Amino acid sequence: MRVFVTGATGFIGVPVVKELIAAGHDVLGLARSDDGATALTALGAAVHRGSLEDLDSLRKGADAADAVIHLAFIHDWSNFVENCRIDGQAIAALGSALAGSGKLLIVTGGAALLVGPGQMATEDDDVPPDFPFPRVSEQTAFALKDVRASVMRLPQVHDTTKQGLLTYAVAAAHEKGVSAYVGEGRNRWAAAHVSDVARLYRLALEKNESGAKYHAVAEEGVPMRDIAEAIGRGLKVPVKSISAEDSAAHFGWLAMFFDHDLIASSAQTRDKLGWTPTGPGLIADLEHLQASATP
């Protein structure tokens, strides 16, 4: 297939592009800059110039492809609400180009906070009506009329340079000289290596199923204390427990997540797509942090 990939030059996008091309697909990658275009060309992808804010470019990219994988998101937490609005508009634009075509749209969402504290999220869970975050990628995609949409729910996606939200915990530990966890650190976060996630996007594309909810989860829940200790070993800094009251001072905006369970199962996804994660675990990557492993 010819696949239009937004976010094609990003942390997950580059491995996805490589995975698709290696499997014989043609990739049309969205590029905002000359550097991005050059990088995509080097990977063997065709370049489509545009951005998330350029809705006409998104529609043209979707028109030119047999399927769309939407990975792009503006990761600026200081302007998060606005970036969520831009994401919703981008998905709507892609949907307007795909409506009635029979082409598949795979959007990217999250596996976190779909269920109550201590509960394991599964593919059967829907986003709750009172979902507390303004990013509504999944809800927007499934509300599109006459569009074959599926969603890929991500946990903390990692390698030795980035680890999802934990990238900011690494930065806090580096800045403050201590790796912290809240209370006893028993809360757990799901995770997956970026290479396994890239392969799963390809499998979902080739499955070509509308309405599917996939969980890109290799590890259902890694204890936060273990995570903090691995960051400490990786950065060679001490590790300590802090109170919930002190977490905001240490983690900043990340504190809103840090005492939550963000756990999820991928049993149905593995069974449906024959996906078996093989990449390094989160702890191993945190223990071998690269120098660039800060936001």
Side-chain angles (χ1 to χ4, degrees), residues 218-239:
E219 296 177 282
E220 293 182 344
V222 183
M224 194 56 67
R225 179 168 180 167
D226 294 353
I227 290 171
E229 290 174 345
I231 293 172
R233 291 191 295 271
L235 294 180
K236 298 180 174 56
V237 298
V239 180

Side-chain angles (χ1 to χ4, degrees), residues 17 38 55 75 94 121 140 149 166 186 240 257:
V17 169
T38 300
L55 302 184
H75 293 282
L94 293 167
T140 302
L166 292 171
R186 291 183 178 179
K240 72 173 183 178
F257 300 102

